[in-house]
């Protein structure tokens, strides 16, 4: 696996290079300049540059309930779990119990790029990538200054502090970083619906990271990443507080020699708590006081030398998760405990994968397959009344099985300006422990868990064209058809009562357009997605309707001007179309158009003055609508601050 002894030792802190067939799947890359130059300074806001990216709700990681912050693409939404595989340096980021993404802990300034691939995937950890894959890569020594720091002050007494130090360490490097932000928040409740118990969406989050890379031999390096974080938020009413926390660690060995190797192992410890307040009595109705969970796993990927025309990838991976929740239900009138609930379980996937990219002149063919063994074990749900008497003792049967997945694609470079591509794929996702075992309430609606949920199974095809009519300008268009069979949805079964169920399918077809321009001092990008997404559920009231929380139209455009080194002015406009709160299309969330702006000017000696404006024209963003009871998203928010890079 080594190189010649005279070769220089270079530590990149990165994984292996992308296979040549990657463009066949229409990946979109967000570079570091954009990651570090957004109005909100939050990763979920930046990912929205790629039209079609969505969370369950429109709120960001300051005013949303964390458990609702999954990630999905291509209008395959409908519940809060992630249908998109989110990786950081190759490590899955979804919470082991809930499936949500800890966005507040993924600080954009720590990253070098984000690559978004829509559609099913194989490769490492491909199980779960039914809507696509978002690959986040940490910045290495080449992208990071030795010292970087920023301090911002914003509307509603908001503060954002960030710092990192990245010294060389022998022939390697180490990065120690931290971020803390807080704010008094805004009223998510419209003024005409507020009551004495209404509270601002206060938030406070912090994270600290350690990352290091060191050479083991020429062409062989070891990488370590550690992260600890905490996040506290208040939602809608005084006392409706949530807390999430995590501790993550991973170690990676990368060989760039003749036999290329990527070996990775990781462990995650997470916890979540949440208090639900009645919208009528304003007393506590539910205390989700403890939800400990653990995720761990790893992969090995080998790239044997099989000639210059082929890049062969062979590997295996494993993901395991266990968790349980402890919660107490209360009488909304008396405040007395009515039920104490404990539920949890374990699940695992073990996969083998192989993929080959074959270059034949201007044509690149790529194809891959996975075979996964999955299991769901130890599921249980117990309930006790206020006196401690056991009233429910549910023990659910263990389940397991095998599931193959495939994908294939082609990229034909007709010229340096025109490329055609096409791909087809399958995939699957296990229901999360949360979907299987944990009921929840967003007053007045209660949603039941369902321990009998089956797998979600994807089939999809797409075709596209990439154009570069002249230097600095790229255009792309993709048409797609995806069918998610057994899609897990929150299905209405009674008045203010829903249950998680597998519906026959969700079908989504549509078009995605993107454009990028770099001409001298001008930088611009734009993205648009139209999705015709429908639920196939013969005999059900929602058959043929749009999945909950799924817009048909989404668009984003950013225009930047850099008149001189260190100077930067940019504006971003985003549009999200009308969508529905529920599966019956009863309550609508009207469309929203927002404008953001960022300005930066140099002060000398690596210091910059920065101004940021979110939702500049203070558009009303409806994030929840239950029979006219409304929640709103982030209003106009202004920031001013200093950045230092040396």
């Amino acid at each position: 696996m080594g190189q010649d002894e005279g070769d220089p030792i270079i530590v990149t802190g990165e994984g292996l290079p992308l296979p040549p067939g990657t463009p066949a799947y229409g990946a979109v890359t967000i570079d570091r300049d954009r990651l570090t130059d957004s109005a909100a300074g939050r990763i979920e806001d930046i990912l929205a540059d790629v039209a079609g990216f969505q969370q369950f709700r429109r709120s960001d990681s300051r005013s949303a309930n964390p458990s609702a912050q999954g990630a999905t693409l291509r209008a395959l939404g409908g519940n809060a779990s992630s249908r998109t595989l989110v990786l950081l340096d190759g490590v899955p980021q979804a919470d082991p119990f809930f499936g949500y993404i800890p966005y507040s802990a993924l600080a954009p300034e720590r990253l070098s790029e984000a690559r978004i691939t829509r559609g099913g995937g194989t490769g490492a950890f491909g199980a779960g990538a039914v809507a696509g894959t978002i690959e986040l890569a940490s910045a290495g020594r080449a992208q990071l200054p030795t010292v970087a720091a920023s301090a911002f002050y914003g509307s509603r007494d908001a503060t954002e502090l960030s710092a990192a130090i990245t010294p060389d360490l022998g022939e390697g490097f180490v990065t120690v970083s931290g971020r803390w932000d807080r704010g008094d928040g805004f009223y998510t409740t419209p003024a005409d619906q507020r009551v004495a118990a209404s509270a601002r969406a206060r938030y406070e989050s912090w994270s600290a990271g350690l990352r290091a890379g060191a050479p083991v031999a020429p062409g062989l390096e070891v990488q370590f990443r550690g992260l600890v974080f905490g996040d506290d938020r208040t939602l809608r009413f005084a006392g409706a507080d949530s807390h999430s926390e995590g501790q993550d660690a991973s170690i990676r060995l990368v060989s760039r020699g003749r036999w290329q190797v990527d070996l990775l192992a990781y462990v995650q410890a997470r916890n979540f708590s949440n208090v639900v307040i009645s919208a009528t009595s304003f007393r506590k109705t539910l205390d989700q006081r403890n939800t400990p969970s653990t995720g761990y796993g790893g992969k090995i990927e080998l790239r044997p030398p099989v000639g210059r025309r082929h890049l062969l990838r062979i590997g295996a991976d494993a993901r395991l998760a266990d968790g349980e929740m402890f919660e107490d239900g209360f009488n909304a009138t008396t405040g007395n405990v009515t039920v104490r609930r404990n539920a949890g379980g374990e699940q695992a996937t073990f996969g083998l994968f192989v993929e080959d990219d074959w270059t034949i002149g201007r044509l690149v063919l790529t194809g891959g397959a996975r075979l996964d063994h999955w299991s769901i074990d130890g599921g249980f749900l117990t309930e006790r009344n206020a006196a401690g008497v056991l009233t429910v003792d549910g023990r659910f049967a263990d389940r397991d099985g095998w599931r193959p997945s495939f994908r294939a694609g082609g990229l034909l470079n007709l010229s340096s300006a025109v490329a055609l591509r096409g791909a087809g794929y399958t995939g699957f996702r296990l229901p999360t422990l949360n979907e299987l075992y944990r009921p929840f309430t967003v007053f007045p609606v209660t949603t039941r868990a369902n321990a009998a949920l089956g797998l979600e199974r994807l089939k999809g095809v797409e075709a596209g064209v990439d154009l570069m009519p002249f230097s600095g300008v790229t255009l792309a268009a993709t048409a797609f058809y995806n069918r998610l069979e057994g899609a897990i949805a929150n299905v209405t079964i009674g008045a203010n009562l829903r249950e998680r169920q597998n519906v026959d399918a969700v079908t989504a077809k549509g078009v995605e357009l993107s454009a990028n321009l770099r001409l001298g001092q001008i930088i611009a990008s734009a993205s648009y997605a139209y999705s015709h997404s429908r639920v196939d559920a013969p005999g059900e009231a929602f058959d043929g309707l749009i999945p909950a929380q799924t817009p048909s139209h989404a668009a984003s455009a950013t225009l930047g001007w850099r008149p001189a080194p260190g100077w930067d002015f940019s504006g971003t406009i985003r549009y999200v179309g009308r969508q529905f709160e529920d599966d019956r299309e009863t309550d609508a969330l009207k469309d929203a158009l927002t404008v953001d702006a960022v300005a930066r000017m140099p002060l000398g000696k690596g210091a910059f003055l920065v101004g940021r404006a979110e939702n500049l024209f203070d558009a009303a963003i409806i994030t929840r609508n239950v029979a006219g009871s409304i929640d709103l998203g982030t209003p106009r928010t202004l920031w001013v601050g200093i950045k230092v890079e040396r």
Side-chain angles (χ1 to χ4, degrees):
M1 292 191 296
Q3 297 175 329
D4 294 336
E5 292 185 3
D7 290 346
I9 295 177
I10 301 174
V11 175
T12 67
E14 302 172 355
L16 295 175
L18 295 175
T22 301
Y25 301 103
V28 177
T29 299
I30 301 174
D31 62 21
R32 179 166 172 79
D33 285 345
R34 176 58 180 156
L35 288 168
T36 57
D37 194 29
S38 76
R42 313 189 84 79
I43 188 64
E44 66 273 24
D45 177 76
I46 301 165
L47 291 174
D49 281 4
V50 179
F53 166 81
Q54 66 176 106
Q55 305 171 82
F56 184 59
R57 299 194 184 277
R58 298 169 175 177
S59 307
D60 66 18
S61 55
R62 292 167 291 191
S63 60
N65 187 294
S67 64
Q69 292 200 275
T72 194
L73 295 160
R74 286 201 166 154
L76 290 174
N79 70 19
S81 297
S82 294
R83 289 191 168 111
T84 297
L85 174 65
V86 180
L87 302 171
L88 174 58
D89 298 331
V91 177
Q93 292 301 294
D95 182 270
F97 187 90
F98 290 94
Y100 73 84
I101 309 301
Y103 290 109
S104 64
L106 303 177
E109 62 270 18
R110 297 182 184 134
L111 304 176
S112 64
E113 68 175 21
R115 185 170 58 255
I116 298 92
T117 305
R118 292 169 282 207
T122 58
F125 304 119
V130 293
T133 305
I134 298 174
E135 299 170 89
L136 307 176
S138 293
R141 187 66 183 93
Q143 296 96 10
L144 294 171
T146 302
V147 176
S150 65
F152 285 88
Y153 182 78
S155 303
R156 299 173 292 280
D157 200 26
T159 306
E160 177 191 303
L161 302 176
S162 178
I165 180 170
T166 309
D168 294 324
L169 185 65
E171 294 176 314
F173 71 93
V174 62
T175 298
V176 180
S177 59
R179 176 170 172 147
W180 171 75
D181 58 333
R182 65 155 306 279
D184 287 346
F186 60 95
Y187 284 105
T188 59
T189 308
D192 61 354
Q193 295 186 5
R194 290 176 202 160
V195 295
S198 296
R200 294 177 179 271
R202 297 181 179 87
Y203 67 94
E204 181 174 12
S205 63
W206 63 272
S207 63
L210 173 66
R211 188 165 184 266
V216 178
L220 183 65
E221 66 181 81
V222 63
Q223 303 167 11
F224 171 81
R225 184 178 60 83
L227 177 71
V228 294
F229 65 88
D231 189 316
D232 293 281
R233 309 180 199 178
T234 297
L235 182 62
R236 209 159 188 252
F237 297 117
D241 301 325
S242 71
H243 172 77
S244 57
E245 62 183 49
Q247 302 85 38
D248 297 1
S250 65
I251 189 165
R252 190 179 197 181
L253 187 68
V254 179
S255 171
R256 307 180 195 280
R258 181 172 171 77
W259 275 78
Q260 296 185 339
V261 180
D262 191 346
L263 180 63
L264 171 70
Y266 71 89
V267 62
Q268 299 163 329
R270 304 282 175 84
N271 206 335
F272 174 80
S273 61
N274 182 58
V275 174
V276 177
I277 299 295
S278 166
T280 53
S281 69
F282 311 112
R283 289 177 176 267
K284 181 164 57 176
T285 61
L286 185 68
D287 184 358
Q288 299 163 271
R289 51 189 172 82
N290 194 21
T291 316
S293 63
T294 306
Y296 41 99
K299 73 160 186 176
I300 180 169
E301 177 182 325
L302 304 177
R303 297 185 181 182
V306 292
R308 288 181 296 177
R309 290 188 176 185
H310 288 270
L311 194 154
L312 179 64
R313 304 166 63 201
I314 304 170
D317 61 63
R319 276 192 288 174
L320 302 94
D322 63 72
E324 60 181 318
M325 63 87 174
F326 301 85
E327 63 182 27
D328 301 332
F330 295 81
N331 183 297
T333 302
T334 66
N336 295 328
V337 173
T338 58
V339 63
R340 299 191 187 277
R341 187 179 295 117
N342 178 211
E346 302 173 359
Q347 59 181 200
T349 56
F350 297 90
L352 302 172
F353 63 89
V354 59
E355 192 156 6
D356 183 54
D357 292 38
W358 184 14
T359 303
I360 313 169
R362 294 178 178 270
L363 176 65
V364 180
L365 298 176
T366 177
R370 284 186 61 93
L371 180 62
D372 284 277
H373 181 265
W374 61 268
S375 62
I376 300 173
D377 302 311
F380 70 94
L381 169 64
T382 63
E383 293 185 358
R384 298 178 183 274
N385 62 21
V389 176
L390 185 67
T391 57
V392 174
D393 188 11
R395 306 289 165 168
F396 307 111
D398 295 345
R399 294 182 281 158
D400 69 331
W402 292 89
R403 188 74 191 176
S405 304
F406 307 94
R407 75 172 179 176
L411 177 71
L412 178 60
N413 294 293
L414 296 178
S415 69
S416 59
V418 181
L420 303 178
R421 51 184 165 79
Y425 33 76
T426 66
F428 79 98
R429 180 182 78 89
L430 284 179
T432 64
L433 298 174
N434 174 58
E435 291 169 318
L436 289 165
Y437 307 125
R438 174 187 163 266
F440 72 94
T441 299
V442 178
F443 192 87
V445 179
T446 295
T447 301
R448 293 176 178 173
N450 183 352
L453 288 171
L455 309 183
E456 295 185 334
R457 306 170 307 280
L458 175 80
K459 297 176 182 177
V461 294
E462 63 183 70
V465 58
D466 298 320
L467 304 174
M468 191 171 71
F470 48 90
S471 179
V473 176
T474 59
L475 307 171
T478 303
F480 67 90
Y481 175 86
N482 285 181
R483 180 177 174 85
L484 186 65
E485 298 176 346
I488 298 171
N490 299 333
V491 176
T492 300
I493 59 175
N496 292 327
L497 182 61
R498 299 173 188 162
E499 182 180 70
R500 298 187 182 97
Q501 295 181 6
N502 292 102
V503 301
D504 279 12
V506 170
T507 58
K509 53 188 176 183
V511 177
E512 298 156 344
L513 306 175
S514 65
N516 289 277
L517 178 148
R518 288 180 178 266
L519 293 177
Q521 300 174 349
I522 303 299
I523 298 174
S525 64
S527 179
Y528 167 74
Y530 165 72
S531 303
H532 182 275
S533 184
R534 295 293 185 270
V535 178
D536 291 338
E540 299 286 353
F542 51 87
D543 180 42
L545 301 185
I546 301 172
Q549 306 292 338
T550 302
S552 297
H553 300 272
S556 175
T558 297
L559 177 64
W561 177 45
R562 296 175 180 172
W567 293 82
D568 192 352
F569 302 91
S570 66
T572 298
I573 184 170
R574 289 205 177 93
Y575 173 80
V576 59
R578 182 172 178 258
Q579 61 196 66
F580 293 96
E581 176 72 29
D582 63 328
D583 60 319
R584 302 290 182 93
E585 296 187 0
T586 304
D587 299 309
L589 285 67
K590 70 176 185 178
D591 57 353
L593 180 71
T594 60
V595 177
D596 296 342
V598 178
R600 183 182 67 188
M601 60 176 290
L603 300 176
K605 296 184 179 180
F608 303 88
L609 177 65
V610 181
R612 308 186 326 211
E614 302 178 59
N615 193 4
L616 185 60
F617 297 108
D618 204 22
I621 307 167
I622 299 177
T623 64
R624 187 190 69 94
N625 177 10
V626 178
S629 176
I630 300 292
D631 277 354
L632 300 174
T634 304
R636 179 169 49 233
T637 304
L638 306 178
W639 298 87
V640 63
I642 299 290
K643 281 189 175 182
V644 177
E645 298 179 351
R646 294 179 183 174

